[in-house]
Amino acid sequence: MRPSANTALRLASGRTLFPTTPLPPAPTKTTTTFLSLRQIHHTPATPATVSPIHGSGPPPEPPNPLAEPVAQRFARRKRQIELLRQASDIRKQQSASKKSKQQPGQEDRPKPRRFWKDVNVKEVDGALEVHLDTRPLRHPTTKAIVRLPLSKPMLAGALALEWDLLTSVQQATRQHLIPLTSLICRAIDIAEDDEKSHTGAVESLRAGIAKTVMRYLDTDTLLCFAPPPASYDVIPGKEALRDSQQRTYQEIVGYLTSRVWPGVVIEPVLDGDSLFPKSHSEATRAIVEGWITGLSAWELAGLERGVLAGKGLLGAVRLVVEWSEDAAGMGFGDASKKFGVEEAATAASLEVDWQIGNWGEVEDTHDVEKEDLRRQLGSVILLVSGTGHKSS
């Protein structure tokens, strides 16, 4: 059986066909019926164009430069040069006139851009104030005079030094250049907020800080242990990361659970190959949060700075308790203080320091973070510590 001439022509044209209707019988001795083929679409096949034509007509003429005569261009350049020479002469004359007006021996130096010359600490009405010449230092927002307790002379001296190092008024508006001023004003804001009456709709500043720092309890770096080292991870003569973490955990948590929160159980939240941290019991969280809420304004501001700097709550609590002159302090003398800036910074960056010891330090990154962490923890000690003899 073979198709008709029409069907063969349509097959040769390359169109897609489908059998639908019967064709007339082929001119054979045996009459047979078969279906014709129907095309699916009617779009004719067109060959691809390598470089299609997007327009018609001749191509555009090439652009011509501006028809400016050479003489005019040279004249314009000469005028510009002459104006620049005149401006230079005027500047030189002004500089010479200023020098001629100077007194003998007076140096040609730029004037200081700050309005104060000396910075002093003065005792005024039972408090310490930092004075810029004769002007007392004020709160940047409330414009109230910054007053420190008489028991914090080192804090007042550090605050005066911070402002004495500034060279312009513009630098006083940059928070990273006055970190101690910002920290002191934070404590003052907490103390003023405590005197206000808060309704249920308005959360107190103290409650907000306590809620923020409590988030770090379940993810504290001291409570996250590395998996036990495999045989190929053991470096002869070097303490394993897990052993170092357990030792630091026992030192700090053991101190807190025996002297600060007796009877409270604080366990590691990540241990071994676990992926999700465990949460502490409601009783533990209630005791810790109640202790934080009862801190003084200076202690609470210092604790907040320590938590945010070290990314952990327990190390910051130990630092505040060790150095505070208020109710949270343990009352030890200076000779018994063994947990300082270096110990707190080492506990906060334990894993980073261990990795640096193995693989090296990244310049302008690890070293900068190391010094910045110690700077912030040092400001916490300055804020909470004192002579212990506060005015009534």
Side-chain angles (χ1 to χ4, degrees):
M1 178 190 307
R2 64 175 183 176
S4 62
N6 188 19
T7 304
L9 180 62
R10 297 171 68 182
L11 286 172
S13 64
R15 299 186 182 183
T16 304
L17 304 176
F18 189 79
T20 52
T21 58
L23 294 176
T28 57
K29 295 181 179 179
T30 305
T31 303
T32 306
T33 303
F34 81 90
L35 302 178
S36 66
L37 300 177
R38 182 174 62 87
Q39 56 185 345
I40 296 178
H41 58 84
H42 299 277
T43 304
T46 56
T49 304
V50 178
S51 179
I53 299 174
H54 299 287
S56 59
E61 296 292 337
N64 295 324
L66 296 177
E68 183 181 8
V70 177
Q72 293 183 5
R73 185 164 64 253
F74 284 165
R76 178 170 53 83
R77 294 289 180 84
K78 288 182 179 180
R79 288 194 300 269
Q80 293 177 353
I81 294 173
E82 184 63 26
L83 290 176
L84 292 175
R85 185 181 294 110
Q86 292 178 2
S88 178
D89 295 339
I90 292 174
R91 286 194 297 269
K92 290 180 180 179
Q93 293 176 2
Q94 292 177 352
S95 178
S97 62
K98 289 182 180 180
K99 291 182 178 180
S100 61
K101 294 180 181 179
Q102 290 181 354
Q103 298 179 0
Q106 185 179 6
E107 299 179 358
D108 186 12
R109 62 178 62 180
K111 296 182 179 180
R113 292 177 293 175
R114 68 182 195 182
F115 60 84
W116 65 92
K117 182 179 180 181
D118 298 322
V119 183
N120 301 305
V121 178
K122 297 181 180 180
E123 180 180 346
V124 180
D125 298 334
L128 297 176
E129 297 180 0
V130 175
H131 285 233
L132 310 178
D133 292 338
T134 59
R135 303 178 181 88
L137 182 64
R138 295 181 178 273
H139 193 288
T141 304
T142 63
K143 305 305 179 182
I145 297 177
V146 176
R147 297 169 59 84
L148 306 179
L150 292 177
S151 60
K152 297 183 181 296
M154 296 183 62
L155 179 62
L159 180 62
L161 178 62
E162 184 175 81
W163 280 83
D164 194 29
L165 294 176
L166 300 179
T167 60
S168 65
V169 180
Q170 289 77 13
Q171 289 185 350
T173 61
R174 301 173 183 176
Q175 297 296 325
H176 67 281
L177 296 179
I178 51 172
L180 195 58
T181 305
S182 303
L183 185 59
I184 293 174
C185 292
R186 180 65 165 174
I188 295 175
D189 292 340
I190 295 173
E192 293 180 353
D193 187 78
D194 291 339
E195 299 177 356
K196 301 177 182 179
S197 58
H198 298 276
T199 61
V202 179
E203 185 181 44
S204 64
L205 190 58
R206 178 179 295 272
I209 295 175
K211 184 183 300 183
T212 300
V213 299
M214 281 298 295
R215 297 176 182 173
Y216 289 84
L217 181 60
D218 291 336
T219 58
D220 199 297
T221 54
L222 293 177
L223 305 180
C224 300
F225 290 173
S231 59
Y232 52 82
D233 291 332
V234 177
I235 302 177
K238 183 177 180 59
E239 186 180 20
L241 176 59
R242 181 182 177 85
D243 297 338
S244 179
Q245 290 173 335
Q246 289 179 341
R247 176 176 50 80
T248 307
Y249 161 80
Q250 292 173 359
E251 293 175 357
I252 297 179
V253 176
Y255 179 92
L256 297 179
T257 54
S258 62
R259 302 191 181 189
V260 183
W261 309 312
V264 175
V265 178
I266 299 179
E267 298 179 348
V269 295
L270 278 178
D271 192 3
D273 297 326
S274 58
L275 298 178
F276 299 98
K278 298 184 298 184
S279 298
H280 292 87
S281 62
E282 293 296 333
T284 299
R285 297 183 62 87
I287 293 174
V288 175
E289 187 172 1
W291 181 86
I292 294 174
T293 307
L295 296 176
S296 66
W298 302 97
E299 293 171 337
L300 188 59
L303 179 65
E304 182 186 27
R305 172 63 64 88
V307 169
L308 298 179
K311 304 299 185 294
L313 175 62
L314 301 179
V317 170
R318 173 71 189 275
L319 189 67
V320 170
V321 167
E322 193 81 24
W323 292 90
S324 177
E325 65 169 350
D326 293 332
M330 293 288 102
F332 299 118
D334 293 339
S336 63
K337 294 183 184 301
K338 299 180 180 179
F339 192 85
V341 172
E342 192 64 32
E343 290 77 12
T346 302
S349 58
L350 190 62
E351 183 177 356
V352 175
D353 294 341
W354 190 86
Q355 297 290 353
I356 289 175
N358 289 336
W359 311 108
E361 184 181 67
V362 178
E363 295 183 0
D364 296 334
T365 301
H366 290 141
D367 50 352
V368 174
E369 293 177 353
K370 177 181 177 180
E371 297 302 327
D372 183 69
L373 177 60
R374 283 155 175 77
R375 175 186 63 84
Q376 297 192 54
L377 295 177
S379 65
V380 173
I381 294 180
L382 280 175
L383 187 71
V384 303
S385 62
T387 60
H389 303 286
K390 297 174 291 184
S391 60
S392 58

